């Protein structure tokens, strides 16, 4: 960007300079006027410039306008071959410009090296000034400048964040608490000869509270806390990042004991040995960071905290002892953790007595702290929309669905036909789930479209939090996932595009059973794939030969086919209930799991399933 700007300005300057030097332009006159003036004796001398095809006309003392005009010019008229003799007659002194023969190299250097450098230097001066100006503003204060670190001394003000604001994550908190304690009472540790870890790396999925924990450390520490993001080091200029690192450590040492926090450190800490597009700047920055971490004075209590959700891409050298020697895992919250997080966030809002955070926590398995904070806030917004002063359970549940499926699309009009297909599809899922033993209970079925594009959905909820899944349960889950499509076929003898998400999920599950969980007879205990990324959902990495994968694909297909046939069989057997409950759903648009179970119970009682085959 800056480089481009430099170029643009240079080019402008070039053309300006050209015009400055080649024309001693003051006033243009016509050739005839020139002849007339020469005849009247108003011309002292002329200089003919063949290169630029200009005649410069210097007025004589007789010219009345002489004081105003220093030189006139006009074009060369080639057909006027008698110019020379006429000038002689008028007594005008004639001369010709000697064509400029400046060396192209000098020209090049002048225009493309010296000038750009000059412009660059000017620009950088301006930027430096600007950066300094900005640094002075804002409550955090900053040190601007190009090679200066952008670390901000983070001063928690007003309502400071403490460990109380971080729910769950007890192990992470203990680990951090120890560091804080060391910084406050170093003597206690030194007496016994214990050394503090130089660096601690917070790792965990996005939104689990890594940044929040670091802020809490700042709030608890009672020592200076420098905070900056990995991307702050990344600059276009090679060497700038490294110089920022150097500067950061200089600052930190001056303020010791203190904590330096580098958020999203993967921006600079990526492994250096990936061949694809090596990045000099990043490598230099990383090298500098490694050197500084090794080099700085151990007696000075400076702790480097860093956070990342992609620990697997970090350079191994960063994590060796003596650098980030402690890894603090920040985990996806379990049910109790989710209850605690919901409690922390509900302190800030008003809730009525219908609210049951347990139920919300149960329904949000897999949600991160950030999701939960978002759910509470959405619920508050919904309460306001509904003109209520407090949040109730319905608000919370609805916002869980908003987070999962998007907002309701109230004015999305579907044809009678399509609504019917959607109703059968959703009841297909629900009925197949209800007719199997190990499935999760149905929570809700709806055919109100959502902004996410879902035309309807069936929500299932576990009775308790689960950490393991049995093979039998996974197989039944597959049947449930494919129940929607099966219902379309059983009822209409035709299928729609509506099952694409189900197919995606089912294929993913079946594939993992074969390639990762060792659940196929054909491959047994052999793993064929590794998860691509620990915390982010990346593509799995294949660890087997291509031909093996071809076989695995075939096994996955068979598993899915079998599950689908099973779903079709269940629905054929219960087609009357399928039809009746689809009608019920069409009528009500949204039904709870309980209503659904009661409805199919009632239907079965009045018309028992005929024992076919
Ligand atoms: P990340 O791990 O991606 O850095 P953040 O620390 O930025 O996540 O968390 C985002 C938000 O989620 C926080 O500001 C907070 O509101 C909420 N949050 C996450 N984890 C927790 C937690 N354990 N307790 C309370 N709030 C949390
Ligand atoms: Mg973060
Ligand atoms: Zn479906």
């Amino acid at each position: 960007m800056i480089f481009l700007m430099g170029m643009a300005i240079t080019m402008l300057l070039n053309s300006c300079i050209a015009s400055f030097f080649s024309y001693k332009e003051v006033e243009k006159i016509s050739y005839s006027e020139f002849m007339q003036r020469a005849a009247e004796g108003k011309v002292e001398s002329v200089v003919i410039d063949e290169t630029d095809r200009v005649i410069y006309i210097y007025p004589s003392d007789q010219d009345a306008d002489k004081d105003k005009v220093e030189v006139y010019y006009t074009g060369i008229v080639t057909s006027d071959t008698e110019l020379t003799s006429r000038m002689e007659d008028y007594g005008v002194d004639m001369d010709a410009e000697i064509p400029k023969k400046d060396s192209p190299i000098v020209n090049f250097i002048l225009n493309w090296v010296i000038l750009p450098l000059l412009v660059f230097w000017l620009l950088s001066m301006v930027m430096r000034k600007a950066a300094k100006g900005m640094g002075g503003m804002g409550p955090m204060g900053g040190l601007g400048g190009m090679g200066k670190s952008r670390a901000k001394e983070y001063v928690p003000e007003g309502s400071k964040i403490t460990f109380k604001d971080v729910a769950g994550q007890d192990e992470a908190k203990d680990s951090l608490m120890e560091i804080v304690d060391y910084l406050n009472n170093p003597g206690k540790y030194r007496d016994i000869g214990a050394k503090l870890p130089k660096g601690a790396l917070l790792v965990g999925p996005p939104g689990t509270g890594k940044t929040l924990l670091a802020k809490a450390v700042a709030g608890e520490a009672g020592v200076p806390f420098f905070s900056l993001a990995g991307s702050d080091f990344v600059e276009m200029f090679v060497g700038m990042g490294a110089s920022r690192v150097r500067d950061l450590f200089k600052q930190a040492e001056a303020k010791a004991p203190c904590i330096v926090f580098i958020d999203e450190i993967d921006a600079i800490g990526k492994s250096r040995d990936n061949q694809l597009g090596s990045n000099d700047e990043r490598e230099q920055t990383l090298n500098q960071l490694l050197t500084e971490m090794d080099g700085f004075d151990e007696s000075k209590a400076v702790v480097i905290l860093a956070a990342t959700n992609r620990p697997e891409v970090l350079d191994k050298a960063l994590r060796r002892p003596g650098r980030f020697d402690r890894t603090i895992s920040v985990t996806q919250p379990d049910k109790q953790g989710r209850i605690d997080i919901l409690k922390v966030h509900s302190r800030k809002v008003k809730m009525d007595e219908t609210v049951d955070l347990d139920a919300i926590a149960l329904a949000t398995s897999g949600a991160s702290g950030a999701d939960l904070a978002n759910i509470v806030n959405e619920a508050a917004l919904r309460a306001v929309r509904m003109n209520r002063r407090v949040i109730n359970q319905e608000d919370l549940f609805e916002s869980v669905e908003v987070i999962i499926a998007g907002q309701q699309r109230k004015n999305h009009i579907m044809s009678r036909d399509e609504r019917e297909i959607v109703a059968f599809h959703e009841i297909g899922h629900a009925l197949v789930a209800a007719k199997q033993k190990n499935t999760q209970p149905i929570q809700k079925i709806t055919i109100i479209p959502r902004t996410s594009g879902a035309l309807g959905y069936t929500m299932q909820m576990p009775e308790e939090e689960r950490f393991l899944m049995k093979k039998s349960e996974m197989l039944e889950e597959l049947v449930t996932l494919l129940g929607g499509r099966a219902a379309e076929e059983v009822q209409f003898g035709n299928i729609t595009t509506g099952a694409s998400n189900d197919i995606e999920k089912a294929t993913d599950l079946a594939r993992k059973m074969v390639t990762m969980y060792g659940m196929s007879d054909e491959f047994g205990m052999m793993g064929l794939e590794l998860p691509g990324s620990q915390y982010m959902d990346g593509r799995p990495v294949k660890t087997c030969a291509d031909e093996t994968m071809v076989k695995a694909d075939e096994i996955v297909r068979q598993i899915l086919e079998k599950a689908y046939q099973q779903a079709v069989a269940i629905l054929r057997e219960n087609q009357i209930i399928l039809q009746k409950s689809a009608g019920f759903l069409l009528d009500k648009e949204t039904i709870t799991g309980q209503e659904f179970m009661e409805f199919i119970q009632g239907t079965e009682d009045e018309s028992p399933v005929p024992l076919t085959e």
Side-chain angles (χ1 to χ4, degrees):
M1 174 58 176
I2 297 169
F3 186 66
L4 283 180
M5 264 157 66
M7 281 315 222
I9 293 175
T10 307
M11 291 197 316
L12 271 178
L13 277 183
N14 269 338
S15 55
C16 284
I17 287 169
S19 56
F20 246 103
F21 291 127
S22 15
Y23 304 103
K24 299 162 192 100
E25 163 202 358
V26 177
E27 195 181 318
K28 180 172 186 314
I29 52 175
S30 70
Y31 198 76
S32 331
E33 200 182 339
F34 159 48
M35 283 300 131
Q36 202 187 330
R37 279 167 180 268
E40 285 167 7
K42 285 182 175 173
V43 176
E44 171 91 36
S45 61
V46 294
V47 176
I48 299 172
D49 187 335
E50 292 275 0
T51 356
D52 289 340
R53 305 201 59 75
V54 182
I55 304 174
Y56 298 107
I57 304 141
Y58 294 87
S60 67
D61 290 336
Q62 282 187 37
D63 192 339
D65 288 340
K66 191 176 184 296
D67 291 339
K68 269 194 275 164
V69 184
E70 243 178 281
V71 57
Y72 300 99
Y73 71 94
T74 188
I76 293 178
V77 177
T78 340
S79 54
D80 184 5
T81 45
E82 269 127 59
L83 179 67
T84 327
S85 57
R86 241 180 294 146
M87 287 299 123
E88 245 164 46
D89 292 350
Y90 301 143
V92 175
D93 187 30
M94 265 187 85
D95 197 4
E97 195 102 310
I98 299 160
K100 289 168 273 173
K101 270 217 200 109
D102 37 18
S103 129
I105 296 175
V106 170
N107 231 340
F108 179 84
I109 292 178
L110 195 83
N111 287 344
W112 295 103
V113 181
I114 307 220
L115 257 177
L117 276 178
L118 224 123
V119 169
F120 226 98
W121 175 76
L122 266 173
L123 263 176
S124 69
M125 291 296 280
V126 170
M127 305 260 297
R128 212 174 274 224
K129 279 242 171 78
K132 266 195 194 136
M134 285 189 303
M137 295 173 339
M140 290 203 163
L143 294 130
M146 298 266 269
K148 292 278 171 62
S149 115
R150 293 226 185 115
K152 295 172 196 139
E153 188 172 348
Y154 178 77
V155 191
E157 32 178 317
S159 58
K160 65 176 180 180
I161 293 171
T162 65
F163 283 136
K164 276 206 209 77
D165 297 297
V166 187
Q169 310 297 2
D170 292 330
E171 296 80 8
K173 276 196 262 183
D174 284 348
S175 210
L176 290 168
M177 215 98 84
E178 191 180 60
I179 293 173
V180 170
D181 188 45
Y182 175 94
L183 291 174
N184 288 322
N185 318 294
K188 194 166 89 183
Y189 292 81
R190 269 190 216 132
D191 280 352
I192 203 169
K195 259 192 275 167
L196 188 75
K198 262 195 192 164
L201 191 62
L202 293 159
V203 301
T208 44
K210 298 180 294 297
T211 308
L212 186 70
L213 270 166
K215 283 186 187 157
V217 170
E220 300 270 348
V223 297
F225 185 93
F226 294 94
S227 144
L228 74 175
S231 57
D232 287 348
F233 292 108
V234 183
E235 280 290 341
M236 258 174 49
F237 304 108
V238 175
M240 211 50 91
S243 104
R244 285 211 174 121
V245 171
R246 229 171 294 133
D247 194 64
L248 167 66
F249 278 78
K250 221 190 285 160
Q251 275 185 57
E253 272 190 61
K255 290 258 186 158
C258 71
I259 298 171
V260 174
F261 174 56
I262 308 175
D263 208 354
E264 315 284 353
I265 196 177
D266 39 286
I268 44 168
K270 275 209 196 99
S271 177
R272 281 164 296 181
D273 55 36
N274 72 355
Q275 280 89 21
L276 297 171
S278 86
N279 182 332
D280 270 353
E281 166 61 356
R282 214 187 53 220
E283 284 188 14
Q284 279 195 24
T285 309
L286 175 58
N287 284 335
Q288 190 65 40
L289 182 65
L290 297 175
T291 318
E292 292 287 349
M293 287 192 80
D294 280 345
F296 79 93
D297 196 347
E298 292 225 1
S299 63
K300 293 228 172 96
V302 178
V303 177
I304 319 288
L305 280 185
T308 181
N309 37 38
R310 306 172 62 198
E312 68 280 347
V313 306
L314 289 188
D315 200 283
K316 295 272 178 295
L318 261 183
R319 303 182 69 174
R320 70 132 233 245
R323 288 176 186 147
F324 288 101
D325 33 19
R326 184 176 284 191
T327 300
I328 300 175
S329 288
V330 185
T331 49
Q332 207 71 271
D334 58 8
K335 185 177 161 215
Q336 190 54 49
R338 290 196 298 275
I339 294 175
D340 293 341
I341 293 173
L342 286 167
K343 275 187 190 147
V344 165
H345 289 280
S346 51
R347 282 208 301 256
K348 299 166 203 157
V349 295
K350 290 187 189 134
M351 293 185 165
D352 71 10
E353 66 293 336
T354 59
V355 170
D356 175 8
L357 295 180
D358 267 51
I360 303 294
L362 192 56
T364 48
S365 161
S368 68
D371 294 331
L372 295 169
N374 199 1
I375 285 170
V376 172
N377 191 52
E378 282 289 334
L381 292 175
R382 183 174 189 267
V384 173
R385 262 199 310 269
M386 302 264 172
N387 285 321
R388 261 186 279 107
R389 288 166 176 273
V390 286
I391 298 172
N392 62 27
Q393 184 73 349
E394 209 191 310
D395 294 330
L396 283 167
F397 251 118
E398 178 60 30
S399 57
V400 170
E401 281 174 59
V402 167
I403 304 292
I404 297 169
Q407 295 278 3
Q408 288 189 0
R409 283 172 73 175
K410 288 259 167 54
N411 49 8
H412 182 76
I413 299 164
M414 285 204 295
S415 69
R416 166 88 206 165
D417 242 21
E418 287 198 329
R419 285 182 73 238
E420 201 180 352
I421 295 171
V422 176
F424 270 93
H425 179 106
E426 296 308 333
I427 292 290
H429 286 303
L431 192 54
V432 166
K435 289 292 166 190
Q436 298 181 99
K437 279 198 283 310
N438 301 307
T439 49
Q440 297 171 358
I442 308 290
Q443 177 70 28
K444 181 176 173 175
I445 313 169
T446 173
I447 53 169
I448 298 176
R450 294 273 168 169
T451 47
S452 66
L455 298 176
Y457 55 87
T458 305
M459 232 172 108
Q460 284 175 281
M461 203 164 82
E463 273 157 306
E464 56 190 1
E465 184 156 54
R466 299 287 304 275
F467 301 98
L468 287 173
M469 231 177 142
K470 294 181 192 138
K471 184 180 174 184
S472 56
E473 288 166 340
M474 290 170 100
L475 289 173
E476 292 195 1
E477 168 89 14
L478 286 177
V479 180
T480 306
L481 280 169
L482 299 176
R485 163 59 67 86
E488 293 175 26
E489 185 175 336
V490 167
Q491 180 63 27
F492 304 106
N494 205 342
I495 52 183
T496 70
T497 53
S500 64
N501 186 249
D502 300 333
I503 290 172
E504 186 186 323
K505 283 193 195 142
T507 309
D508 186 56
L509 182 59
R511 177 165 216 93
K512 283 195 174 132
M513 289 174 73
V514 175
T515 65
M516 289 183 196
Y517 305 144
M519 287 182 179
S520 68
D521 297 334
E522 291 81 351
F523 291 109
M525 242 49 69
M526 184 182 174
L528 308 180
E529 275 180 332
L530 291 172
S533 162
Q534 200 174 348
Y535 299 122
M536 315 286 275
D537 26 37
R539 286 171 154 269
V541 181
K542 193 177 67 181
T543 58
C544 61
D546 284 346
E547 300 90 83
T548 318
M549 210 31 124
V550 172
K551 271 187 226 154
D553 285 341
E554 176 54 23
I555 295 161
V556 170
R557 197 193 63 77
Q558 284 168 15
I559 292 175
L560 291 171
E561 182 60 29
K562 209 172 141 198
Y564 181 66
Q565 291 312 335
Q566 209 165 327
V568 171
I570 292 173
L571 293 176
R572 287 239 153 86
E573 209 172 300
N574 297 284
Q575 200 164 358
I576 296 164
I577 301 180
L578 173 68
Q579 285 164 352
K580 285 194 175 160
S581 25
F584 180 57
L585 178 60
L586 264 174
D587 193 36
K588 293 231 172 187
E589 288 200 322
T590 300
I591 56 179
T592 65
Q594 205 178 349
E595 283 171 327
F596 173 68
M597 293 314 283
E598 279 164 12
F599 183 83
I600 60 175
Q601 204 61 54
T603 320
E604 266 169 12
D605 289 347
E606 59 189 65
S607 55
V609 191
L611 283 171
T612 45
E613 288 129 313

